[in-house]
Structure formats: C-alpha cells, structure tokens
Amino acid sequence: MNSFLDGVSEVNAIINSFVWTKFGVWLLIATGIILTIMTKGFQITHIRHWMKKTIGSLFDKKVVSHTNEKASISQFQALCTALAATVGVGNIAGVAAAIMTGGPGAVFWMWVAAFFGMMTNYSENILGIYYRRKNHEGEWSGGAMYYLEDGLGHYKGMKKAGKILAVLFALFAVFASFGIGNMGQVNKIVMNFTTAFNIPALSNTTLYTSGDSGVNLYMLIVGIVLLVVVGIVLLGGIQRIAVVAEKIIPFMVVAFVLGSLVIIFGNITAIGAAFKAVFGMAFTSQAAWGGAAGVSLKTIITMGCKRGVFSNEAGLGSSVMVHSNSNVIEPVKQGLWGIFEVFADTIVVCTMTALTILTSGVIDLTTGKAVTDNDSTLVAEAFNTVFKIGKFEFGRYFIALAILLFAFTTILGWSHYGVKAVEYLAGSKAPVVTKVYKIIFVLMILSGALMTSSIAWDISDTFNGLMMIPNLIGVLALSPLVMKITENYVDRRLKGRTDVRPMLSYFSEIEEENIRKIEETGEE
C-alpha cells in the first residue's frame, strides 16, 4: 500500500510541477497582464468607480438587502460567499508557507499576482454573468464550463474543443471540491482546534495509528460536529450558504485585520525592516534562507504567485460560479466585485498576515530561521507575542478559531462550486445527481477529520491548478468580448451615453428581459 501511495505521490508531483511551476503560473500572470493592457489598467484608472460601487455601496439596500427573486442572492451575499471560499487557510497557513519557503520576497510576488489577478477575476465574473442561464430549479447557473462551451465553442471550428474543455473544467472542479474544498480544510480545522483547545481525556484516547501519526477520539468528535453543521447548511441550498457567509466573513475579516494591526503597530519599529525584506528579497536569491542550501529567484516568484492564487483563486474560474447567482443585471457590476474580492483577500488580509509574521520576530529576516516549522503555528506564535498572558496563549486560541471559521466557510463555498460543476456534467439528471453529490460531500468531511497523510491535500492542490488551464484558455479567447462589454458599460454608465444598447446577456430573451427591468426600475 505504501509503495502504491508513493507512486501516486510521484506522478502527482510531476503534474503539480507542470501546472503550478512550469506552465500554469506563467499562463496566469500572462493572462492578467494581457487583460490589464486590454482594459487600459481598469483596476487603476477606474479605482474610484469600483471602490464606490463595491465597498462604497455596502449601505445601499439594493446591494445588501436579500432578494425576493427565487433561488437568487444579493450582490453582497455573492461577494461574501465567494470570499467564504477564498478567505481561508491560504490566508493564514498559505502566507506563512510562502514566506518560510520563498522568503519575504514571496510576499511581493503575491501582490503582483493579485494586482493582475484583479482583472482576471473581473473578466471571469463578466463572462459568468453574460453566459449564465436558469437551471431546473429556477436558479442562476454560470461558470467557466458555460463560457467555454457557449463562448469559446461559438468560434468557428471550436465547438468540440469548447465542449471538451468545459467538461474537463467541471471534472477538475468536482475533484478539487472534495480535496482542497473539503478534506484539506477539515484536516486543518481539526489539527489546529484539537491542539489549541486540548482535552486530554479525548486526545489521549487513540482510535488507530498510521505511521508516525495517530487518530484520536477528539478528532472524531470534531469531525462529526463539522459533518452535522455543514450538512444542515449545505442541504439548505445557495441561499442558506449565503446567509451564513454574510454573517461570518465580514466579522472574521475585520477581527483578523484588527488583531493583525495590534501586533504590527505593537512592533512598529520593525515595519521598515519588514518592507525592506519584502522588496529587497523579491529579486535576489537568498543564499541560506531557512538554513537550507538557499532559495532561488524562481522559487521566490513561483511561491509568491502560487500562494497568491491559492488564496484569492483569481484565474481558477471557481468563484464565478457563485458570483453568477447574484441578482445583478449588469455583467460589469459583478466584475467590479471580482476586483474587490481579490483586493480584500490578498492585498488586505494576506498582507496583514505577512506583516504580522515579519514584524513580530517569529522569523529571522536575515537567515529565515523560524520559531516553528509549522506554517499555521507560525502565525499563532506571531499573535502570541502580544496576545499572551502568563500560560494563556490567546493568540493561539484566536488563530485556531480563525482557521475554524475561515475553513468552515471555505467548505461551504466550495460545496456550491462542486454542485454547479456536477449540475453541468449531469445535464437532465442534475436534480438527482446533485443530491447524491451533496451527501457524498458531507460524508467526506469525516475522512478529512481522520486523515493522517498529506497525499489527499497534494492531489487536490493539483486538481485546483488543473481547473486554471481550461478556464484561462476560455478567458483569453473571450477577452475581446470582455473588452467590448467593458467599453459598453463605460459609455453608458460613466459617460452617460443613451444611444448605446446594453450588452447584458448572451441569450437574447434574458437580455430583453433585463433591459425592460432597467427601463422600468432603473436597476443595474
């Protein structure tokens, strides 16, 4: 059995290296650069507009109020649900792993990936809204599989290629939902929670051992609780998921940012050194970082970009599946939320994590020697430098709870992605097949809680990256359409032109209905 797993691990390592190091990351960055150029740096030239229409509109009832439309959610709920899937372990353990492996310079490349990723996410959301349609339950369905089949497939001679890429994307999304979207998140929750809030009577009761690791009664109990809670939320559909996400995500993001700021300003004299390390090590190899043989420039760049994408998922085509459930009419308006999603996830939350680590002294900025080898524990140690009173390690408790809530909402978000992918693959049999998927998804939570090997996480990381390739092919192929829809929006909404017909949907009947709504209610 061990030899079989070793073989699987070796094959996965080869595919993962190709996807994340040799091809995928570079395709991702190139796509973001191309879209930024084509839209004339929209994320910068129209920063006031997208800020106003996103964070500046959070007190607008049209944006945050729950919609009465069947099986639809508000724009704010769509954002929170998308952030639920993106703001997770990657923002805590992922950032720490990037710094521990690639050095402080990796943070710079995380920012670069996020800057260009804003326009990738923007474009995905536009295409998702433009090509979406209603499913058997009257719920909006959109995602890369639809704009690959109907968009890319609409080009001459590309019908079969578009369909194949759409099916591949959906298959990769299903596998990724079980791995990174489920078992990997659950495993992190269980490990961190049972360590931070240790109950000897439960943790000392070993159920079985595997290699050097063991599974105890405490892990089983936490796994069962998660299974029940996720099951209750998931079986309630997208609207229940959205309600939970909009309650947890804003609270946790604000709490995490405030906690990070306390540590950063508590170590204010180290802020200059932290930024110097980030920019100074972004373009140079580090000879003895972490006590290893050294870190190459290629490793610094790939670790920063990879962890940035793992955090915000821009380019994977995942979050567009929930953004497409929004009650918004204008494709560009949901695209603006896509820009803000990447900004909030990486530029804000990931930066807070990075500065917390780099200013608190838990890692030496010259040698890379850390106080612990565990990525999520490193962040906890950073919080403990301020939030520790005697034997009470409040920093560790806070990070354990943060990972619990962030990872829990990530599970909910990814469950919806999996449902949408299965729905596409199942076609007319979707009502039955999606119910079966939900049951399997919930049961897999227990496997994540009792998992002792990292191979499931490693394989799902590969499937996560494999989603990226067909999606980016579709986004690049349809970039002229994105540009056209953007220009149409700018002409009408920013320049006030009334002689321009709105571009709202690929389907004429949906577009006509939306145009009537705009004329009758003035909604966007």
Side-chain angles (χ1 to χ4, degrees), residues 103-304:
V107 177
F108 173 83
W109 294 104
M110 196 177 289
W111 292 335
V112 170
F115 175 77
F116 293 115
M118 288 180 184
M119 294 318 297
T120 307
N121 216 34
Y122 165 85
S123 302
E124 290 171 337
N125 280 2
I126 285 180
L127 294 172
I129 297 293
Y130 191 74
Y131 284 101
R132 69 181 178 176
R133 75 287 316 277
K134 292 288 182 74
N135 66 6
H136 55 279
E137 294 180 347
E139 177 182 292
W140 284 116
S141 291
M145 50 277 194
Y146 295 106
Y147 55 74
L148 281 166
E149 181 176 352
D150 295 332
L152 177 62
H154 188 70
Y155 287 144
K156 186 177 180 180
M158 294 299 292
K159 184 175 181 180
K160 184 177 287 187
K163 179 66 175 179
I164 291 172
L165 289 174
V167 170
L168 286 174
F169 173 85
L171 284 171
F172 295 149
V174 172
F175 285 119
S177 73
F178 286 128
I180 278 184
N182 185 326
M183 291 190 295
Q185 302 295 330
V186 171
N187 194 249
K188 280 290 184 182
I189 290 174
V190 171
M191 292 302 175
N192 280 276
F193 190 84
T194 56
T195 300
F197 301 96
N198 185 35
I199 302 176
L202 298 177
S203 58
N204 291 338
T205 305
T206 303
L207 300 179
Y208 67 87
T209 57
S210 177
D212 297 328
S213 302
V215 173
N216 57 55
L217 183 59
Y218 198 2
M219 296 164 67
L220 176 63
I221 292 173
V222 174
I224 291 173
V225 172
L226 285 172
L227 183 151
V228 173
V229 176
V230 170
I232 292 171
V233 178
L234 175 56
L235 297 178
I238 180 59
Q239 291 186 317
R240 190 178 295 174
I241 292 172
V243 168
V244 173
E246 74 172 338
K247 297 290 189 300
I248 295 177
I249 287 300
F251 168 75
M252 278 311 303
V253 168
V254 171
F256 185 79
V257 169
L258 289 177
S260 298
L261 287 174
V262 170
I263 295 168
I264 294 167
F265 284 108
N267 299 286
I268 195 167
T269 56
I271 293 178
F275 277 105
K276 183 180 179 181
V278 169
F279 291 104
M281 297 183 184
F283 302 95
T284 58
S285 301
Q286 288 131 57
W289 181 259
V295 178
S296 67
L297 180 59
K298 183 179 180 181
T299 300
I300 297 169
I301 296 173
T302 54
M303 278 305 299

Side-chain angles (χ1 to χ4, degrees), residues 212-435:
D212 297 328
S213 302
V215 173
N216 57 55
L217 183 59
Y218 198 2
M219 296 164 67
L220 176 63
I221 292 173
V222 174
I224 291 173
V225 172
L226 285 172
L227 183 151
V228 173
V229 176
V230 170
I232 292 171
V233 178
L234 175 56
L235 297 178
I238 180 59
Q239 291 186 317
R240 190 178 295 174
I241 292 172
V243 168
V244 173
E246 74 172 338
K247 297 290 189 300
I248 295 177
I249 287 300
F251 168 75
M252 278 311 303
V253 168
V254 171
F256 185 79
V257 169
L258 289 177
S260 298
L261 287 174
V262 170
I263 295 168
I264 294 167
F265 284 108
N267 299 286
I268 195 167
T269 56
I271 293 178
F275 277 105
K276 183 180 179 181
V278 169
F279 291 104
M281 297 183 184
F283 302 95
T284 58
S285 301
Q286 288 131 57
W289 181 259
V295 178
S296 67
L297 180 59
K298 183 179 180 181
T299 300
I300 297 169
I301 296 173
T302 54
M303 278 305 299
C305 292
K306 179 179 177 179
R307 290 300 169 181
V309 175
F310 179 74
S311 172
N312 60 53
E313 296 182 12
L316 299 189
S318 50
S319 66
V320 65
M321 288 186 268
V322 72
H323 278 289
S324 296
N325 280 101
S326 167
N327 62 347
V328 73
I329 293 175
E330 286 273 9
V332 170
K333 197 164 185 182
Q334 204 61 33
L336 302 180
W337 284 106
I339 295 176
F340 178 75
E341 179 188 334
V342 177
F343 174 81
D345 180 274
T346 306
I347 304 299
V348 176
V349 180
C350 285
T351 298
M352 291 296 100
T353 304
L355 289 178
T356 296
I357 293 170
L358 297 176
T359 60
S360 61
V362 295
I363 193 166
D364 190 295
L365 299 184
T366 303
T367 65
K369 185 177 181 180
V371 296
T372 176
D373 294 330
N374 186 293
D375 44 33
S376 55
T377 304
L378 185 68
V379 183
E381 291 296 337
F383 270 73
N384 272 339
T385 59
V386 173
F387 299 110
K388 183 178 181 181
I389 303 174
K391 295 181 179 180
F392 296 99
E393 299 181 339
F394 292 107
R396 185 183 300 277
Y397 304 151
F398 176 78
I399 292 301
L401 288 172
I403 288 178
L404 167 65
L405 293 175
F406 280 155
F408 171 71
T409 52
T410 296
I411 295 168
L412 297 181
W414 267 95
S415 70
H416 182 67
Y417 299 165
V419 166
K420 286 301 173 185
V422 168
E423 179 184 293
Y424 173 80
L425 293 169
S428 60
K429 297 179 180 178
V432 175
V433 179
T434 52
K435 285 183 174 64

Side-chain angles (χ1 to χ4, degrees), residues 65-115:
S65 295
H66 293 184
T67 174
N68 293 321
E69 187 178 342
K70 181 183 178 182
S72 183
I73 58 179
S74 71
Q75 297 164 46
F76 180 65
Q77 285 181 314
L79 170 71
C80 288
T81 308
L83 281 174
T86 55
V87 178
V89 174
N91 296 79
I92 299 175
V95 175
I99 294 173
M100 292 173 76
T101 306
V107 177
F108 173 83
W109 294 104
M110 196 177 289
W111 292 335
V112 170
F115 175 77

